[in-house]
């Protein structure tokens, strides 16, 4: 009887306990679902097997028995408080476990696993151990378990992700981009991070001590052992070899005046101190014998560049632009390799001529190569080096042609030998004209028919054909008063030499007796009877003006060609302006992100007619032979380095470098 009474009392109590435990579990599960940020968690809970729910119920019931009904009733009635205690205890659990401290963030653990950890930490037995003690029955559908996500160790320290998989495939075989990434400092083997993406470097600021050539790798193309157009190999006879660099180093004043062109650059890499250190590093690494620089700011030249280059063994000449401009051109050479014969600055500004009202300048040096004493009695021809920076304005091709004509006339004067021929010539600089443009073809081919040509078309920098009004070139391009012929020579140097030169004989002097200027009475002449008061009478048939006859002779001796200019220097380019291995054109600068070639090194050699674009040497060697050159880069490679300038190249132009050889002759 007593036993039956006890059973009657215990059965309602058991049902009560069962209902309270179900309510507690439901509240806890709702709290977990409320904490989760992923909508997938609710579905995962709904798809969990029934056996797992029974295990949770038994664990929660055991906890309720130990803690007492009062605490459980409090927990069931106060939902937000339970949620808060759950979040705090979950954070404490993760902080107390150092092995999982790095994996506590949302991006390292899925929300499902985080919910599992938060649910298990308040139980007496950890939830994973409950699962290990009793295997779950096999059911169809996804299984849910608190298994930490396995992280690949090589992704653990990746701070920068690649732009895309396509970029890695595109640059995989490109040595220029592979070498562009900077190797990290030596680290212990177990701490060295592994970069898993092949062909794409890790983007990080380079340390200052990393050499420039190890970042933007540019290959040296050696032509010294290649046969020339006539099948002869270079090096058969003694040669005087030297290297020449042409570089627009970007004047700081000009950069600040056009700051909108450099918004892609970090301000730190645009400071002059940073750029100056990078530029000097390039000079020291390539170590040219002749250095031709453009956009050299005057105060930076005298205060930093010239003293530093002098310590490197250079002798420097500088010409600032006319007017109020603060930059100019410089030519530096090593006195151990060359001796200066003459230096001639060139100014393109001509007062009174609207065509030549710009402040650009050039610099022409005549250098004598110094051969070692051990070679005996040998000699090398002088070398003429011209450096210039032509006007930028794409619309004023007429100004560009006139400036180039003045420079070629000065080069013709300096490089002309006694027999009328020219010594070897190197003309380099920033010509602000693209390859195959009329200005480029004029320098290389020696002739240009310009009459009626739109002025913007001369340089080819931009296309203004859509504009209604277009300035067109008229003939003659410049007046004869400039003193330069259409053959780009000074008038004084191209007058014909007469074999029967007039002598100062009596008959020759008598021609001036009755000329108009001789018959004019000078002001203040003392009147003397029979001496100064008489005027000579002109004989019948005597010419009225001898000077007029001389002027006509001068004009007939220097005929003007209609709409055509020429020169006879036989120049060709060091570069072919195309990269066969990449199938893309070379670029030397990237204004506004658009790559183009405007910097050149021309030298004395006849160009060869060869339609094969893969031929790297399209010239016939003369006294000056091309032995090698530093390869240029394509636009897409420079884009991968964030354009120009960048942390590795501190100018908006790339440097040009070439090696030459000159014949050594015996007397």
């Amino acid at each position: 009887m007593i036993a039956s009474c006890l059973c009657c009392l215990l059965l309602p109590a058991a049902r009560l306990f069962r209902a309270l435990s179900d309510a507690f579990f439901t509240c806890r599960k709702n709290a977990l679902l409320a904490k989760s940020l992923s909508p997938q968690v609710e579905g995962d809970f709904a798809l969990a097997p029934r056996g797992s729910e029974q295990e949770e119920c038994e664990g929660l019931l055991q906890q309720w028995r130990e803690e007492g009904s009062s605490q459980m009733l409090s927990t069931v009635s106060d939902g937000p408080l339970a949620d808060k205690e759950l979040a705090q205890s979950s954070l404490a659990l993760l902080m107390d476990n150092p092995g999982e401290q790095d994996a506590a963030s949302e991006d390292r653990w899925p929300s499902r696993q985080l919910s599992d950890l938060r649910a298990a930490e308040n139980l007496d037995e950890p939830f994973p151990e409950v699962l290990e003690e009793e295997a779950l029955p096999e059911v169809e559908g996804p299984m849910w378990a608190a298994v930490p996500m396995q992280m690949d160790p090589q992704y653990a320290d990746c701070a920068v992700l690649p732009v895309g998989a396509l970029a890695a495939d595109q640059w995989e075989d490109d040595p220029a981009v592979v070498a562009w990434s900077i190797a990290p400092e030596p680290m212990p083997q177990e701490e060295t991070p592994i970069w898993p993406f092949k062909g794409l470097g890790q983007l990080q600021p380079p340390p200052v001590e990393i050499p420039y050539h190890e970042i933007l790798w540019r290959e040296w193309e050696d032509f010294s052992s290649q046969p020339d157009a006539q099948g002869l190999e270079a090096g058969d006879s003694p040669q005087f070899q030297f290297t020449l660099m042409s570089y627009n180093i970007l004047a700081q004043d000009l950069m600040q005046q056009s700051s909108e062109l450099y918004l892609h650059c970090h301000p730190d890499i645009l400071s002059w101190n940073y750029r100056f250190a990078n530029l000097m590093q390039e000079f020291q690494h390539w170590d040219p014998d002749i250095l031709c620089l453009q956009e050299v700011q005057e105060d930076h030249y005298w205060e930093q560049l010239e003293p530093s280059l002098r310590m490197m063994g250079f002798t420097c000449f500088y010409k600032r632009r006319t007017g109020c401009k603060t930059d100019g051109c410089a030519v530096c050479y090593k006195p151990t390799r060359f001796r200066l014969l003459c230096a001639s600055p060139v100014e393109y500004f001509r007062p009174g001529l609207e065509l030549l009202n710009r402040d650009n300048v050039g610099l022409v040096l005549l250098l004598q190569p110094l051969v070692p004493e051990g070679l005996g009695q040998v000699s090398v021809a002088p070398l003429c080096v011209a450096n210039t920076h032509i006007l930028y304005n794409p619309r004023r091709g007429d100004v560009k042609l006139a400036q180039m004509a003045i420079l070629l006339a000065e080069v013709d004067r300096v490089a002309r030998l006694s027999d009328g021929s020219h010594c070897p010539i190197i003309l380099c600089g920033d010509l602000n004209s693209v390859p195959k443009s009329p200005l480029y073809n004029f320098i290389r081919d020696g002739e240009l028919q310009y009459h009626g040509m739109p002025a913007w078309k001369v340089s080819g920098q931009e296309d203004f054909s859509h504009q209604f009004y277009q300035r067109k070139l008229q003939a003659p391009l410049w007046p004869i008063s400039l003193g330069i012929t259409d053959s780009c020579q000074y008038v004084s140097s191209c007058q014909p030499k007469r074999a029967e030169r007039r002598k100062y004989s009596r008959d020759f002097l008598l021609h001036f007796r009755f000329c108009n200027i001789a018959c004019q009475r000078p002001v203040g002449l003392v009147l003397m009877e029979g001496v100064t008061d008489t005027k000579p009478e002109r004989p019948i048939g005597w010419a009225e003006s001898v000077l007029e006859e001389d002027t006509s002779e001068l004009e007939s001796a220097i005929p003007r060609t209609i709409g055509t200019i020429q020169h006879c220097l036989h120049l060709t380019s060091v570069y072919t302006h195309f990269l066969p291995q990449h199938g893309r054109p070379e670029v030397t600068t990237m204004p506004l992100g658009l790559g183009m070639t405007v910097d050149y090194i021309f030298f004395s050699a006849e160009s060869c007619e060869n339609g094969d674009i893969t031929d790297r040497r399209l010239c016939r060697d003369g006294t000056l032979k091309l032995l090698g050159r530093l390869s240029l880069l394509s636009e897409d490679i420079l884009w991968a380095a964030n354009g120009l300038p960048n942390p590795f190249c501190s100018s908006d132009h790339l440097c040009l470098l070439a090696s030459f050889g000159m014949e050594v002759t015996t007397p």
Side-chain angles (χ1 to χ4, degrees):
M1 186 66 180
I2 297 176
S4 61
C5 292
L6 290 175
C7 290
C8 293
L9 293 175
L10 290 176
L11 285 175
R15 293 190 182 95
L16 178 60
F17 295 160
R18 186 73 169 181
L20 291 176
S21 63
D22 292 342
F24 174 74
F25 176 77
T26 303
C27 180
R28 296 296 292 271
K29 185 172 73 171
N30 292 337
L32 289 175
L33 291 175
K35 296 293 289 182
S36 175
L37 299 178
S38 174
Q40 186 181 0
V41 177
E42 183 177 358
D44 292 336
F45 270 103
L47 294 175
R50 186 173 182 83
S52 175
E53 185 177 343
Q54 293 177 357
E55 294 285 344
E56 294 176 0
C57 292
E58 293 176 2
L60 293 172
L61 182 59
Q62 179 66 24
Q63 180 182 2
W64 177 83
R65 290 172 180 173
E66 293 179 1
E67 295 178 356
S69 58
S70 61
Q71 182 179 357
M72 180 173 292
L73 291 174
S74 159
T75 305
V76 173
S77 61
D78 192 5
L81 180 59
D83 188 292
K84 181 177 179 181
E85 293 175 353
L86 177 64
Q88 294 177 351
S89 58
S90 301
L91 181 60
L93 176 64
L94 295 178
M95 295 301 294
D96 293 338
N97 190 354
E100 298 180 358
Q101 181 175 357
D102 295 336
S105 59
E106 293 289 340
D107 57 346
R108 302 293 293 270
W109 291 91
S111 56
R112 227 169 56 179
Q113 300 167 12
L114 288 175
S115 301
D116 176 49
L117 289 177
R118 293 165 182 162
E121 54 90 16
N122 279 334
L123 302 180
D124 292 340
E125 295 181 3
F127 187 71
E129 295 183 4
V130 176
L131 294 178
E132 292 177 2
E133 293 177 359
E134 182 177 354
L136 297 176
E138 296 183 2
V139 295
E140 296 181 358
M143 301 292 293
W144 176 72
V147 180
M149 184 173 59
Q150 298 296 329
M151 296 295 295
D152 194 339
Q154 54 185 326
Y155 289 90
D157 296 325
C158 289
V160 181
L161 294 179
V163 177
L166 293 178
D169 296 338
Q170 184 177 1
W171 307 110
E172 184 173 1
D173 299 329
D174 198 328
V177 177
V178 172
W180 166 66
S181 61
I182 305 175
E185 297 181 357
M187 299 176 62
Q189 187 66 24
E190 63 275 9
E191 299 180 1
T192 303
I194 302 176
W195 185 251
F197 304 100
K198 297 181 180 180
L200 189 65
Q202 193 168 1
L203 306 178
Q204 53 184 352
V208 179
E209 63 271 12
I210 297 297
Y212 162 83
H213 65 283
E214 293 183 5
I215 302 169
L216 281 178
W217 183 256
R218 298 170 60 184
E219 298 179 355
W220 178 260
E221 301 178 4
D222 189 7
F223 303 146
S224 58
S225 60
Q226 295 184 0
D228 59 8
Q230 299 178 352
L232 299 178
E233 291 188 358
D236 295 339
S237 59
Q239 290 183 337
F240 175 83
Q241 299 183 7
F242 65 95
T243 56
L244 180 142
M245 174 184 285
S246 178
Y247 200 177
N248 184 327
I249 63 174
L250 180 59
Q252 194 74 10
D253 287 349
L254 298 181
M255 182 189 67
Q256 294 174 357
Q257 293 172 9
S258 304
S259 57
E260 67 278 359
L261 300 178
Y262 310 100
L263 298 178
H264 64 286
C265 303
H266 192 278
D268 291 345
I269 71 171
L270 296 179
S271 67
W272 170 245
N273 291 334
Y274 181 90
R275 295 178 56 235
F276 173 72
N278 268 9
L279 293 172
M280 294 306 301
Q281 191 177 24
E282 289 187 66
F283 300 155
Q284 291 176 354
H285 172 68
W286 300 120
D287 192 25
D289 298 311
I290 302 175
L291 184 60
C292 299
L293 303 177
Q294 304 91 42
E295 288 195 21
V296 182
Q297 192 166 313
E298 185 177 25
D299 56 342
H300 291 163
Y301 172 79
W302 293 114
E303 295 173 5
Q304 293 174 285
L305 282 170
E306 196 276 338
S308 300
L309 292 174
R310 187 172 0 103
M311 294 178 61
M312 293 174 58
F314 286 97
T315 298
C316 305
F317 285 84
Y318 177 77
K319 173 58 181 176
R320 183 181 65 85
R321 284 202 289 170
T322 54
C324 301
K325 304 300 186 297
T326 60
D327 67 289
C329 298
V331 176
C332 312
Y333 68 93
K334 291 185 176 179
T336 57
R337 305 297 313 280
F338 297 93
R339 177 171 56 89
L340 179 67
L341 297 180
C342 71
S344 178
V346 181
E347 296 181 356
Y348 300 138
F349 179 81
R350 295 290 190 274
L353 285 182
E354 190 272 338
L355 182 67
L356 293 168
N357 59 356
R358 306 306 172 93
D359 296 313
N360 303 86
V361 296
L363 197 57
V364 181
L365 268 65
L366 186 63
L367 303 175
Q368 177 62 54
L370 301 178
V371 297
E373 297 180 357
L375 295 180
Q377 297 295 328
V378 295
S379 61
V380 183
L383 174 66
C384 179
V385 178
N387 179 30
T388 188
H389 189 182
I390 296 298
L391 176 70
Y392 166 76
N393 192 343
R395 302 173 184 267
R396 296 305 304 271
D398 50 347
V399 178
K400 297 173 188 283
L401 284 177
Q403 291 181 350
M404 181 54 60
I406 295 177
L407 180 67
L408 293 176
E410 186 65 23
V411 170
D412 175 82
R413 183 189 70 83
V414 173
R416 183 178 293 273
L417 301 177
S418 58
D419 58 354
S421 62
H422 296 90
C423 67
I425 299 170
I426 295 179
L427 190 154
C428 61
D430 183 352
L431 305 185
N432 278 315
S433 303
V434 301
K436 310 303 179 182
S437 64
L439 178 59
Y440 174 89
N441 294 335
F442 168 60
I443 298 175
R444 192 191 62 177
D445 301 336
E447 184 176 357
L448 175 64
Q449 296 181 359
Y450 63 86
H451 183 62
M453 179 183 299
W456 62 264
K457 197 174 183 179
V458 172
S459 63
Q461 295 167 277
E462 298 183 30
D463 186 1
F464 297 99
S465 58
H466 61 280
Q467 295 185 354
F468 178 77
Y469 172 76
Q470 300 181 20
R471 180 193 299 266
K472 294 186 178 181
L473 305 185
Q474 302 296 327
L477 189 58
W478 56 79
I480 192 62
S481 60
L482 183 61
I484 297 177
T485 68
D486 292 332
S487 297
C488 297
Q489 295 177 335
Y490 287 121
V491 172
S492 58
S493 62
C494 64
Q495 292 181 359
K497 296 181 180 180
R498 301 180 181 180
E500 59 280 1
R501 186 179 180 86
R502 287 179 174 177
K503 304 298 181 181
Y504 290 98
S505 61
R506 180 177 181 276
D507 295 336
F508 173 73
L509 295 177
L510 284 177
H511 282 80
F512 295 95
R513 181 180 179 184
F514 302 106
C515 63
N516 292 334
I517 191 66
C519 296
Q520 293 180 3
R521 183 181 181 86
V523 179
L525 181 64
V526 178
L527 180 59
M528 298 177 62
E529 185 177 355
V531 179
T532 60
D533 59 347
T534 61
K535 182 177 181 181
E537 297 181 0
R538 181 179 290 108
I540 300 175
W542 196 269
E544 294 186 1
S545 177
V546 178
L547 297 178
E548 292 178 359
E549 294 180 358
D550 291 343
T551 303
S552 62
E553 289 181 6
L554 180 62
E555 292 179 352
S556 61
I558 309 173
R560 302 295 303 270
T561 56
I562 304 301
T564 303
I565 53 177
Q566 300 172 339
H567 72 84
C568 57
L569 301 181
H570 303 292
L571 301 175
T572 191
S573 176
V574 166
Y575 292 89
T576 58
H577 319 302
F578 190 80
L579 298 171
Q581 64 274 24
H582 301 284
R584 299 177 182 273
E586 300 171 337
V587 300
T588 63
T589 184
M590 291 188 65
L592 296 175
L594 179 62
M596 63 176 58
T597 294
V598 296
D599 305 274
Y600 303 93
I601 299 179
F602 291 96
F603 68 104
S604 299
E606 297 181 4
S607 59
C608 301
E609 296 297 333
N610 192 338
D612 186 8
I613 195 65
T614 61
D615 186 6
R616 297 187 300 173
R617 303 182 70 213
L618 301 179
C619 59
R620 182 182 297 108
D621 289 332
T623 306
L624 194 61
K625 295 180 173 59
L626 177 62
L627 303 181
R629 67 189 177 202
L630 183 65
S631 65
L632 291 171
L633 301 176
S634 61
E635 179 181 350
D636 43 8
I637 293 178
L638 289 176
W639 262 118
N642 197 32
L644 292 174
N646 53 54
F648 324 116
C649 179
S650 289
S651 175
D652 56 351
H653 292 249
L654 293 176
C655 69
L656 279 62
L657 182 68
S659 174
F660 299 95
M662 298 179 63
E663 295 180 355
V664 178
T665 59
T666 56

